[in-house]
Amino acid sequence: MTVRHGLQRAALSKHKTVSAVTHYSIPEEMEAGSVVANLATDLGLDVDTLRQRKVRLDILANKKYLDINKDTGELYIVEKMDREFFCPSKAATICFLKLDAIIESPLRIFNIELEITDINDNVPHFRRDVIHLDISESTPVGERFSLNNAVDLDVGVNSVKTYHISESDHFTVEIQTGRDGSKFADLILKRALDREEQAVHDLILTAVDGGVPARSGTATVTVRVLDANDNAPAFDRESFTINLMENSPIGGLVVKLNATDLDEGSNSEIEFSYSLYTSEKTQETFSLNQNNGEIRIKEIINYEDFKIYDMEVIAKDKGSNSLSGKCKLTILITDMNDNHPEISIKSFQNPVKEDAAMDTVIAVVSVSDKDSGENGVVDVHISDKLPFVLKSSSDNYYELIISETLDREKASEYDIMITVTDRGSPPLSDNETITLEVLDVNDNVPQFPKSFYTIPVMENNAPGALLSSLTAFDPDLRENQYLVYFIIEKEILNTSVSMLFSINPENGNLYALKTFDFEIEKEFTFHVEARDSGVPALSSNVTVHIIVMDQNDNTPVIVSPWRAHGSVVEEKIARSTDKGTLVAKVIAIDKDSVHNSRITYQFLQNTDATLFSLDQYNGEIRTTRMFSYRDARHQRLVVIAKDNGDPALSATVTIKLSTVETALKSYSDLIEEPLEYDIFSDLNLYLVIGLGSVSFLLLITILVTIVLKCQKPKPSKGAPPCRNSVISERNSTIADSTLVSNDAYWYSLFLAETRKGKLVVRQPVPKGARYVVSSIPRSTGVTDTSDSAASTLQVR
C-alpha cells in the first residue's frame, strides 16, 4: 500500500495477458480517490518522460469515473462505480470496463481492461408485494402452486439462494432451480382446506440471498379458499304443527320456512318445493314460494271441507352436485265466526248548514249478521271525537244525529266511520264511512290584526300618497268573506274626514288626500270599518291615529334687533364701553319643532374678531375688550341664525356699529311698570314633549285668556339706573339686557323672549315718548297674563 498526492492506493490484482492488454480487477465498493494502478510503472514508462509528453485517457464507458494523474502516472477513481449500472444483465457474470491510455510524441496506445467485481449490495425483492392465490377447498393434499420469484440485482453467490414461508398448518414451500441457476418457490398444500373453517390464509414468503451477511425480502401470499358444495341445506326444525283459522284471507302468510347452507355462492342458494308426498289438494290450497320458503293461503279455507293438511317441503341448493334437506308440516284448521256483519245506509242528508239545530237527523243506517247466537249479535258505534251520536230507533236501525254545535271554520268536512262488530270469538266487524259537508253561514265578524293603528306621516306629503294597508280577515266563505272598507265619517278641525283621507274599499289601502303641515295640524284620529257581504252583514272597526311628522321647511326669522329697512341695523356705541358690555342681542324664531327649531348663531363677518364675541346659543353680542384709539370707528357685524335641520336653513342680519365719544345719560328716575306674562313652556321641552302636550297647552291658553280678562296692572316700581347704554337710530335703548323700543320692536321682543321662558317688562321713559323693555328670568317676577300686553302697546 502506498500513498501519492493524498490518494490512497487500493489493493489490486494485476494480470498481464498475452494480448498485451493490461488487466485490473477492483470491487465495486471502492471509494472515490482510490488509486487503481500506476500506469507509468506498469507500462514501463519513465515518469519524467510521461510529464513531458501529453497523456490522455480514452475510456469507452463513462469518463467521469476514472482519470490519470499526469504528474505521477497513477490511474485513480473519480466517482464510486456501481457494477449493476455498467453491467445490468444478469447473464454477464464478469463485468469489464475497457479504456485506452494514449501518449503522444510519438503516439503510443495502451489497452486496459478494468474488471468490476460484485458485492452483496442489493436486497432481494418481489415484483408484487402481495401474491393472490385462489384454491378450492376440495383440492387434494400435495397439490403444488407456483409463486412469483424474487429478483436480486447481484450475481453469483450474492443472488437469491432460498425461500422461506411463515408457519402454517396447511402450506409449505419447495425450492426449484432454473437452468440459469435462479431459484423459484412452489407452494405445497400439506393439509386439506375447509372454507367454512377458514376462508382466507395470509402467509409471508421470504427470499434470502447467499451473500455474507445475507440479505432478504418479503411478500404477502393471500390464499382465498374457494367454496365446494360439501354442505346440505338444513331446516331450523324437522317438523311443524300450525293452527290456522278458517276463512283466513287469501294471500295470508301461514309460515315462513327457514333453511341454511354453510356453503357460499350458488352452493348456498336454496330453492323450496313440495315433495311427492304432498297431496294435490294441499298444493291447490297453499302456495309455496320457491325462493324464500313462504307458505301462503291460495284459496278460501273452510273448516267443514278439510280440517287437517299434511305437506313435506324439500330445500335444495343450486350447486353442480346439489344437496337437499326435508321438513314435514301439519296444518290444523280452527273453526271460527266466519260471517261478517253488514251495514246499509238507508238515508243521508248531505250537505248540512253549520247552524243546524241540535238532534237533527243526518243519516239512518241498518245492520245485520248472517251468523246466529252470539256470533249474530252486533254492536254499533261511530269513530271518536265527532259531534255526532248514534241512537237506536228500532230493531237493527240507528239514527245519526247532531250532538254538538257545528262550526265550519273548525271543520268544513267530517268523515264519519260507522263500525259494527259481532260478539263471536274472535269478533268480526264491518265499517262504512260517510263524508258530510258543512255549509258556511255568516257567523264571523271581520277581524283586524290590531285594534289600534298608529301611522306616521311626514309633512309636505304628496296628495294621494299611500299611508298604510288596513287589511281585515274573515274566516267565512264566498260572499260572507268578501269585505268592504270605509272610513266612519266625522269632522276634524271643522273639516270632514273624507276630505282628508280615503280608503280603497276592496283592499283597505289608506291614502292622504291633502298635503299636511306640521305647524298647523299634528295628528288625526278616526275609525275605519270593515264589513262583509253576508246577509245580514257583519262588521268591525279599528281606530287609526295619524301622526304628522315635522320637516325642516321653515326658515328662521330674525325678530331682534328690529330692522326698519332691509336687513341692516345701525347702532352707536360709546368708545368708553367696558369689556363684556352687551352690544346687541340677535333673536330668531323657527316655526319647526324639536331639533329642526334649535337655532345657533355665528359670525359670517366680523370687522375685528378680537373686539366682539357672539354666544352661539342666546345670540348675545358682547365686547371682548375696551375700545382703543387704533380701533376703527365703524364696525360691521354679519350674524347668521341657522336651525338644526337637515339640510339646515338660515337667516342673516347685518349690524353697523359707529363709536361715539360721549356716553348716554343715566335714567335714574325711571318708573318701572312691571307686566308679567305666563309662559307656556320652555321651547326645548315643548319640542321634546311634542304631540303629547298639545291638549295640555290648549287648556292652559284658555285659562290664561280668562285670567287676563279679569286682571288689573299692578303698581309700578322705580327702575334701576342704567350704565353704558347705547342709543339706537330707531329710538330704542339697550342697557345690558334692558331695551328701550317702539311698539313694533316691543312686540317682536315679547314674542321671542316669552318663548325663551323669560318675563318681558315694559315701562315708560321720562318725557313719555319711548318705553324701556326689560328681559328678566321668569322666576323673579309675579305672573301676569299675556293679554295685558295690548294695553301697554299704546304710546303715552
Side-chain angles (χ1 to χ4, degrees):
M1 301 288 291
T2 59
V3 178
R4 296 182 181 180
H5 302 287
L7 300 176
Q8 182 178 4
R9 184 168 184 175
L12 306 172
S13 61
K14 182 179 72 170
H15 305 278
K16 296 291 183 69
T17 63
V18 179
S19 60
V21 176
T22 304
H23 182 87
Y24 298 98
S25 177
I26 64 171
E28 63 176 325
E29 79 272 11
M30 183 171 284
E31 299 294 333
S34 300
V35 176
V36 176
N38 190 313
L39 296 181
T41 303
D42 296 341
L43 300 179
L45 297 175
D46 184 80
V47 175
D48 294 334
T49 304
L50 187 65
R51 290 173 182 170
Q52 296 174 1
R53 300 167 67 178
K54 292 183 178 180
V55 180
R56 71 177 185 271
L57 189 67
D58 186 9
I59 303 175
L60 299 181
N62 197 327
K63 188 176 181 180
K64 70 177 182 178
Y65 292 97
L66 295 169
D67 204 355
I68 298 176
N69 188 325
K70 297 180 180 179
D71 292 331
T72 63
E74 291 176 334
L75 178 66
Y76 65 91
I77 295 175
V78 178
E79 184 177 328
K80 184 177 180 180
M81 290 181 287
D82 185 2
R83 177 191 177 283
E84 285 73 32
F85 173 76
F86 292 105
C87 302
S89 175
K90 294 279 290 183
T93 58
I94 301 176
C95 182
F96 288 103
L97 182 64
K98 296 182 179 180
L99 56 148
D100 294 331
I102 302 173
I103 303 177
E104 297 182 354
S105 301
L107 178 66
R108 293 186 64 186
I109 300 176
F110 299 90
N111 297 323
I112 300 172
E113 284 184 353
L114 185 64
E115 180 183 355
I116 303 174
T117 61
D118 182 53
I119 64 172
N120 191 23
D121 59 346
N122 291 282
V123 177
H125 68 276
F126 292 88
R127 291 184 176 88
R128 290 184 296 174
D129 293 333
V130 180
I131 302 172
H132 293 280
L133 291 177
D134 290 339
I135 303 176
S136 173
E137 63 177 332
S138 61
T139 302
V141 175
E143 189 73 18
R144 183 184 301 270
F145 303 93
S146 297
L147 299 176
N148 294 337
N149 64 307
V151 177
D152 192 327
L153 297 179
D154 296 323
V155 295
V157 297
N158 295 329
S159 63
V160 176
K161 182 179 180 180
T162 187
Y163 294 90
H164 302 288
I165 196 73
S166 58
E167 185 177 354
S168 173
D169 295 334
H170 294 82
F171 298 97
T172 186
V173 293
E174 288 185 1
I175 311 301
Q176 303 291 332
T177 304
R179 293 182 179 180
D180 58 353
S182 59
K183 303 295 182 179
F184 300 90
D186 287 342
L187 187 67
I188 308 299
L189 181 63
K190 65 179 183 179
R191 179 183 171 187
L193 300 174
D194 188 349
R195 188 200 63 80
E196 288 73 33
E197 177 184 340
Q198 185 175 354
V200 178
H201 297 264
D202 290 321
L203 308 173
I204 303 298
L205 179 64
T206 304
V208 183
D209 64 20
V212 179
R215 294 193 173 195
S216 63
T218 62
T220 300
V221 179
T222 300
V223 178
R224 186 165 63 96
V225 182
L226 302 181
D227 183 59
N229 191 20
D230 56 351
N231 291 280
F235 287 92
D236 295 343
R237 293 165 57 184
E238 293 183 356
S239 62
F240 291 87
T241 299
I242 300 171
N243 294 315
L244 183 65
M245 285 286 183
E246 69 168 329
N247 296 324
S248 295
I250 295 177
L253 180 65
V254 177
V255 67
K256 184 179 187 304
L257 298 177
N258 184 38
T260 56
D261 193 318
L262 298 178
D263 296 321
E264 69 174 0
S266 61
N267 295 331
S268 65
E269 294 179 5
I270 297 174
E271 287 184 346
F272 298 89
S273 62
Y274 287 123
S275 72
L276 298 176
Y277 295 102
T278 304
S279 66
E280 292 185 2
K281 177 60 178 177
T282 300
Q283 296 185 37
E284 291 175 355
T285 307
F286 301 96
S287 64
L288 173 61
N289 189 311
Q290 65 175 0
N291 295 319
N292 57 24
E294 289 182 352
I295 297 178
R296 294 182 178 273
I297 299 172
K298 193 174 181 180
E299 62 179 25
I300 296 297
I301 299 174
N302 194 339
Y303 174 82
E304 287 69 30
D305 293 339
F306 281 88
K307 298 177 176 61
I308 301 177
Y309 292 88
D310 293 316
M311 62 182 69
E312 185 179 62
V313 178
I314 298 175
K316 184 178 182 181
D317 63 30
K318 296 182 180 179
S320 57
N321 297 316
S322 62
L323 302 176
S324 62
K326 297 180 180 179
C327 176
K328 292 184 178 180
L329 286 88
T330 300
I331 300 177
L332 303 178
I333 305 302
T334 303
D335 190 23
M336 62 175 294
N337 179 27
D338 56 352
N339 288 291
H340 289 261
E342 297 179 353
I343 300 175
S344 177
I345 306 298
K346 297 303 181 181
S347 67
F348 180 35
Q349 180 184 346
N350 185 44
V352 62
K353 289 187 177 182
E354 62 177 321
D355 60 350
M358 300 279 286
D359 295 331
T360 299
V361 177
I362 302 300
V364 176
V365 298
S366 66
V367 296
S368 61
D369 193 317
K370 295 179 181 179
D371 293 325
S372 61
E374 287 295 312
N375 293 334
V377 179
V378 297
D379 298 314
V380 184
H381 63 279
I382 60 174
S383 51
D384 295 336
K385 299 182 180 178
L386 288 161
F388 308 97
V389 294
L390 275 173
K391 288 186 177 181
S392 176
S393 59
S394 61
D395 290 342
N396 297 329
Y397 278 88
Y398 295 86
E399 291 180 344
L400 180 67
I401 64 174
I402 298 175
S403 61
E404 298 177 13
T405 303
L406 303 179
D407 189 348
R408 189 208 61 82
E409 285 69 41
K410 293 182 179 178
S412 61
E413 189 175 86
Y414 292 92
D415 291 326
I416 307 170
M417 185 173 68
I418 304 173
T419 304
V420 57
T421 306
D422 63 24
R423 298 181 183 179
S425 179
L428 294 179
S429 64
D430 192 13
N431 60 71
E432 183 78 23
T433 299
I434 59 176
T435 300
L436 177 66
E437 179 186 358
V438 181
L439 298 180
D440 182 58
V441 296
N442 192 25
D443 58 347
N444 289 280
V445 176
Q447 299 174 358
F448 286 93
K450 296 186 293 185
S451 62
F452 190 90
Y453 285 86
T454 299
I455 303 173
V457 180
M458 192 64 68
E459 69 170 328
N460 302 318
N461 59 293
L466 176 65
L467 303 182
S468 181
S469 182
L470 309 178
T471 304
F473 170 74
D474 193 321
D476 292 325
L477 291 179
R478 293 180 286 276
E479 67 275 359
N480 297 331
Q481 188 185 38
Y482 299 148
L483 303 181
V484 178
Y485 301 88
F486 56 91
I487 298 174
I488 298 177
E489 189 59 50
K490 65 177 291 188
E491 285 193 357
I492 302 177
L493 300 177
N494 297 326
T495 304
S496 173
V497 69
S498 60
M499 301 298 292
L500 302 174
F501 304 97
S502 70
I503 192 168
N504 188 316
E506 296 181 356
N507 57 26
N509 287 345
L510 184 65
Y511 300 91
L513 297 180
K514 60 165 288 187
T515 300
F516 299 120
D517 188 347
F518 176 81
E519 286 71 36
I520 298 176
E521 49 219 353
K522 294 180 174 56
E523 62 179 349
F524 304 93
T525 301
F526 54 90
H527 294 84
V528 171
E529 182 175 311
R531 181 180 299 169
D532 62 29
S533 302
V535 179
L538 300 178
S539 64
S540 65
N541 59 65
V542 67
T543 302
V544 180
H545 185 199
I546 305 294
I547 299 177
V548 181
M549 309 298 290
D550 182 50
Q551 277 188 334
N552 191 28
D553 57 347
N554 288 282
T555 303
V557 177
I558 296 177
V559 298
S560 175
W562 181 82
R563 296 161 289 173
H565 303 287
S567 61
V568 178
V569 177
E570 295 184 356
E571 300 282 357
K572 290 183 180 181
I573 186 171
R575 293 186 70 84
S576 59
T577 299
D578 290 338
K579 173 184 177 180
T581 301
L582 179 65
V583 176
K585 182 178 178 74
V586 179
I587 300 174
I589 61 176
D590 193 316
K591 293 182 181 180
D592 293 319
S593 65
V594 196
H595 64 278
N596 292 331
S597 65
R598 296 173 186 170
I599 296 177
T600 57
Y601 304 89
Q602 294 177 346
F603 277 130
L604 281 182
Q605 183 178 344
N606 187 351
T607 304
D608 189 344
T610 65
L611 188 54
F612 302 100
S613 67
L614 172 60
D615 190 302
Q616 64 174 335
Y617 298 110
N618 61 22
E620 290 182 352
I621 303 175
R622 294 182 180 272
T623 57
T624 57
R625 59 178 174 81
M626 295 186 65
F627 286 91
S628 67
Y629 68 92
R630 295 180 180 178
D631 293 327
R633 289 185 175 274
H634 301 285
Q635 300 287 335
R636 178 184 173 88
L637 305 176
V638 179
V639 178
I640 181 172
K642 184 187 298 183
D643 63 23
N644 197 36
D646 184 17
L649 301 177
S650 62
T652 60
V653 61
T654 301
I655 302 174
K656 291 184 178 180
L657 292 179
S658 301
T659 59
V660 296
E661 298 297 335
T662 59
L664 293 176
K665 181 180 179 180
S666 299
Y667 298 97
S668 59
D669 300 328
L670 292 178
I671 300 174
E672 181 180 1
E673 190 178 72
L675 297 174
E676 280 188 38
Y677 303 92
D678 190 17
I679 307 305
F680 297 160
S681 68
D682 181 80
L683 180 58
N684 291 333
L685 180 59
Y686 170 74
L687 296 176
V688 173
I689 295 176
L691 300 176
S693 63
V694 171
S695 300
F696 176 73
L697 293 177
L698 179 61
L699 178 60
I700 293 299
T701 304
I702 296 173
L703 294 177
V704 169
T705 303
I706 296 173
V707 172
L708 288 176
K709 293 296 183 179
C710 302
Q711 181 176 318
K712 294 182 180 180
K714 294 183 179 180
S716 62
K717 299 180 181 179
C722 302
R723 61 189 299 271
N724 297 331
S725 300
V726 179
I727 301 175
S728 68
E729 295 293 335
R730 65 180 190 283
N731 297 327
S732 66
T733 302
I734 302 176
D736 292 336
S737 60
T738 302
L739 305 177
V740 178
S741 174
N742 58 17
D743 287 341
Y745 184 74
W746 146 250
Y747 183 67
S748 299
L749 184 62
F750 170 75
L751 292 177
E753 291 294 274
T754 53
R755 294 190 65 173
K756 295 295 184 180
K758 297 181 179 180
L759 299 177
V760 181
V761 182
R762 183 171 180 268
Q763 66 270 1
V765 178
K767 300 183 182 179
R770 295 174 298 175
Y771 295 92
V772 175
V773 180
S774 298
S775 174
I776 61 178
R778 180 184 180 193
S779 61
T780 61
V782 180
T783 303
D784 274 345
T785 57
S786 59
D787 280 353
S788 63
S791 62
T792 62
L793 292 177
Q794 299 176 1
V795 179
R796 297 182 183 177

